[in-house]
Amino acid sequence: VVSARARNTGVTTHIVRLFAIVVEKGFELDEGDPARKYKGRVVIQGNNVKDQNHEAALFNELSSSPATMEAAKLADTVGLFQGFTTEQADAPQAYTQELFRGTPTWVELPREAWPDSWVKADYRRPCCPLRLALYGHPDSGGYWERFCERQVMKAGFVKVPNWRSTYFDAKREAILTIYVDDFKLAAPVDKIKGIWADLKANIILDEPKPSDKYLGCDHKITRVTLPENEFVNVIEYDMEGFLQKCIDNY
């Protein structure tokens, strides 16, 4: 029905299928490690999207650019200054916090996801309009990034020139980097809680925690005494555990 209407009106419409991905996150960690767990996600089957004529769909391919490693390390450096700290927080189900704004798209749900009313009605291949920027759609990352940028700027940040997904709040001396759904914030100890509160006013975020593991890399912060009896804070990026697991598997 959707395709017939689209063909008659000349309106571009996309039809996609959904499926679930289940992975073991942190599989390289030791058994019993709390960071090793199974995670599931419903996504768009991006390799099987048709338009109203049942031909392969074409997308705008909105560009998204997560923060670079250089930006993340800049935040780590700022967090080492006296009176500063670095914390991080995840945005759960990140993309779906934003509405889908692209070509009208209909999704076909797998039968096990049908409500009972659909089964009783003996539907064959029911479709629903895609309302949220679901994972797997080529444009969802772009919509999420634009959403984040709007909300972050509402919280008092401005964009750092030429560094995507990196923001600065001069008034509160804070720097924020965003890597998809990983938020890293470096700010004065007495201001960081208020900054998180401003961010959480418009973005759903998990409870912030001290920066420890970021993008699979352990961050170890220590204090070192120099020969002149002065103290400096030092950060060490440690992936020894992951390397050892790679060797064991090999």
Side-chain angles (χ1 to χ4, degrees):
V1 175
V2 174
S3 298
R5 288 177 179 171
R7 284 198 297 270
N8 292 335
T9 60
V11 176
T12 299
T13 304
H14 291 164
I15 303 174
V16 302
R17 291 182 178 179
L18 302 185
F19 72 109
I21 293 179
V22 179
V23 299
E24 185 181 14
K25 183 177 181 180
F27 75 96
E28 74 279 1
L29 302 174
D30 293 331
E31 293 284 351
D33 192 306
R36 182 172 179 171
K37 54 189 175 183
Y38 283 98
K39 299 191 71 175
R41 175 172 291 162
V42 175
V43 301
I44 286 175
Q45 187 177 350
N47 66 328
N48 188 20
V49 183
K50 306 296 183 181
D51 64 10
Q52 70 278 5
N53 298 316
H54 292 280
E55 297 178 352
L58 300 177
F59 299 97
N60 294 325
E61 295 284 357
L62 295 179
S63 63
S64 61
S65 181
T68 63
M69 292 301 295
E70 289 85 356
K73 290 182 177 180
L74 172 62
D76 291 336
T77 302
V78 171
L80 296 177
F81 293 165
Q82 186 174 357
F84 283 70
T85 188
T86 305
E87 294 182 352
Q88 60 192 61
D90 291 339
Q93 301 178 353
Y95 288 5
T96 54
Q97 293 190 36
E98 171 63 328
L99 294 174
F100 180 77
R101 305 177 186 276
T103 300
T105 300
W106 294 74
V107 295
E108 182 180 344
L109 301 180
R111 188 175 180 84
E112 58 269 19
W114 292 11
D116 292 339
S117 59
W118 289 12
V119 177
K120 293 177 181 178
D122 196 27
Y123 287 162
R124 288 182 296 170
R125 295 178 61 185
C127 295
C128 299
L130 179 64
R131 295 185 58 249
L132 303 179
L134 194 63
Y135 290 89
H137 194 288
D139 295 337
S140 290
Y143 293 127
W144 163 247
E145 186 174 291
R146 293 179 183 182
F147 168 81
C148 277
E149 189 166 279
R150 293 196 304 270
Q151 310 315 320
V152 165
M153 295 179 76
K154 287 181 182 177
F157 286 87
V158 297
K159 294 186 290 185
V160 174
N162 303 318
W163 277 22
R164 295 282 293 273
S165 300
T166 306
Y167 307 90
F168 182 63
D169 183 340
K171 183 177 180 180
R172 295 183 285 190
E173 300 179 292
I175 185 167
L176 172 70
T177 67
I178 304 175
Y179 190 94
V180 188
D181 58 355
D182 293 314
F183 287 62
K184 177 180 284 191
L185 175 64
V189 175
D190 60 342
K191 298 177 181 177
I192 196 167
K193 185 175 181 179
I195 298 173
W196 281 122
D198 291 344
L199 291 170
K200 293 172 74 171
N202 297 297
I203 303 175
I204 301 174
L205 294 171
D206 289 336
E207 192 63 27
K209 61 181 182 179
S211 188
D212 53 1
K213 194 180 190 72
Y214 184 74
L215 302 184
C217 179
D218 290 324
H219 291 38
K220 299 180 179 179
I221 299 177
T222 56
R223 174 168 285 191
V224 176
T225 304
L226 299 179
E228 300 81 7
N229 290 325
E230 294 182 350
F231 296 97
V232 294
N233 294 322
V234 175
I235 186 168
E236 176 186 357
Y237 300 103
D238 183 5
M239 296 193 69
E240 181 179 350
F242 177 76
L243 176 60
Q244 185 61 54
K245 283 295 182 180
C246 290
I247 296 173
D248 294 342
N249 289 336
Y250 179 77

